[in-house]
Amino acid sequence: MVEKKTNLPFQCLPNNAGSSNSEVIYPFVNRLIRQVETILNIDPSLNDKEIFHLVSKSIVEFFSAEFANIWIFDHGWRCLTSSGQPVSLPEGDKSAMTFDASIAEEVIRTCKSYSISNILKEDRWKDKEALVKSGIYSLLFVPLVIHQFSSKYSDFLGIFQILYKDQDKTFTPLEFEVAEMLARRVSYVLAQKRIRGLYKYNAIKDKVAEQIFLRLAQGEGIKMVDLFNSAIPALSEIIQIQRCALFSIQRDRREILLEAGYPPRNTESEKSVPWTNPT
């Protein structure tokens, strides 16, 4: 009997009192704790998109929603990932991710969640057709703010957009609080990822510097080729370097010589090419 109550709607929780109160509250709290643990246990070595996909999938299940996506603001709004699929739209249909930037910007500006109980009654939402076609009528917007470790960079801003089939859905204060709490836990996971990245970056930087100073201590000079061959393979572990090359210009300024490349090549062919002085 207890298990059947674990998926009770949020609005049902405050209305249950008396001797059966614990039979309702305990399963919900237990499920909430497990939900938080699921998010905190996400592997921080995954890339941001994979992390957000796991989170959005988990949110759809926890809130018994039809669809959820995550939008970020980076010189304009873009959808980072989504989970669930409106049943009446073909898979991959971009209209399934219909989005209203003005509402999202208000959520980010106020850092407060915003709900739409019935999309048909929301004057601010202009493009209702795609949502109504897919059977989506109510939405919940939750702010996502991830603080950067350096003042040189702006905070990471975004929103969770949770979509429901319910018409005239009642969003309780508890539902707002839980959604915002889960968003903060996502920030914790991403902060862990950033810390790991910084640690790895510092370790690689120290390793390259140590190799350079070791050669200098032995009285050896450092050529650009040596620096390239030491630094680029190491940096490829923390940044996505597909190809990189080091060129030099011959004294007669007629040819460019390929000194080194990443990934290394096994052939010596085509190491020099004609060069035209731009001046």
Side-chain angles (χ1 to χ4, degrees):
M1 180 179 69
V2 171
E3 289 300 322
K4 293 181 180 179
K5 295 183 179 181
T6 56
N7 291 323
L8 279 176
F10 280 82
Q11 57 267 28
C12 292
L13 293 174
N15 298 325
N16 288 272
S19 59
S20 63
N21 187 50
S22 61
E23 295 181 7
V24 177
I25 297 299
Y26 172 76
F28 173 79
V29 172
N30 183 54
R31 191 165 67 95
L32 177 60
I33 291 173
R34 286 188 280 109
Q35 177 68 26
V36 172
E37 290 175 344
T38 297
I39 292 177
L40 294 181
N41 288 333
I42 292 177
D43 185 359
S45 65
L46 299 174
N47 62 46
D48 288 357
K49 189 169 184 177
E50 290 172 325
I51 291 174
F52 282 131
H53 179 73
L54 291 174
V55 169
S56 61
K57 180 180 179 181
S58 181
I59 284 177
V60 168
E61 295 173 355
F62 183 81
F63 286 94
S64 300
E66 183 68 17
F67 192 69
N69 49 35
I70 297 174
W71 292 78
I72 62 170
F73 186 83
D74 183 15
H75 304 290
W77 287 100
R78 64 186 178 93
C79 185
L80 190 62
T81 189
S82 58
S83 289
Q85 184 66 40
V87 293
S88 61
L89 289 178
E91 185 176 355
D93 192 333
K94 297 301 181 182
S95 64
M97 292 178 282
T98 300
F99 176 75
D100 190 288
S102 64
I103 296 177
E105 289 166 5
E106 178 181 328
V107 171
I108 290 299
R109 185 175 62 254
T110 61
C111 205
K112 293 182 179 179
S113 296
Y114 183 86
S115 64
I116 298 176
S117 296
N118 191 330
I119 192 69
L120 297 175
K121 300 177 182 178
E122 179 63 51
D123 295 333
R124 296 176 58 183
W125 193 285
K126 304 303 180 184
D127 187 6
K128 300 180 175 66
E129 183 178 354
L131 292 179
V132 173
K133 179 182 177 183
S134 62
I136 299 296
Y137 289 92
S138 52
L139 303 93
L140 177 62
F141 301 86
V142 185
L144 178 65
V145 181
I146 301 169
H147 300 290
Q148 300 288 356
F149 295 111
S150 173
S151 58
K152 295 181 181 179
Y153 303 99
S154 301
D155 291 340
F156 180 99
L157 302 175
I159 65 163
F160 285 114
Q161 185 174 256
I162 310 173
L163 302 91
Y164 304 83
K165 281 189 170 183
D166 311 62
Q167 291 193 48
D168 299 312
K169 177 178 172 59
T170 300
F171 291 93
T172 67
L174 177 61
E175 199 161 357
F176 279 78
E177 290 292 337
V178 170
E180 292 173 2
M181 183 269 292
L182 293 178
R184 290 192 294 270
R185 299 292 77 76
V186 176
S187 300
Y188 172 84
V189 174
L190 292 178
Q192 259 194 325
K193 177 179 174 63
R194 302 291 186 269
I195 291 172
R196 280 193 173 194
L198 290 172
Y199 177 82
K200 187 174 183 179
Y201 168 78
N202 287 329
I204 290 174
K205 181 181 67 175
D206 292 343
K207 179 182 177 181
V208 173
E210 183 180 0
Q211 292 175 350
I212 293 173
F213 283 115
L214 183 60
R215 298 193 62 169
L216 291 175
Q218 294 173 348
E220 302 179 18
I222 297 293
K223 297 180 179 180
M224 285 297 297
V225 174
D226 299 326
L227 182 60
F228 181 96
N229 289 332
S230 295
I232 298 303
L235 289 174
S236 67
E237 297 181 24
I238 56 175
I239 58 177
Q240 295 179 350
I241 300 178
Q242 295 183 348
R243 295 182 183 276
C244 188
L246 175 66
F247 294 95
S248 65
I249 302 174
Q250 299 289 65
R251 289 183 180 276
D252 59 9
R253 296 194 175 186
R254 292 185 178 181
E255 290 183 333
I256 295 176
L257 182 65
L258 175 62
E259 297 285 355
Y262 178 86
R265 297 177 58 179
N266 296 324
T267 177
E268 295 295 324
S269 63
E270 300 181 1
K271 286 197 65 176
S272 63
V273 294
W275 180 70
T276 302
N277 193 331
T279 59

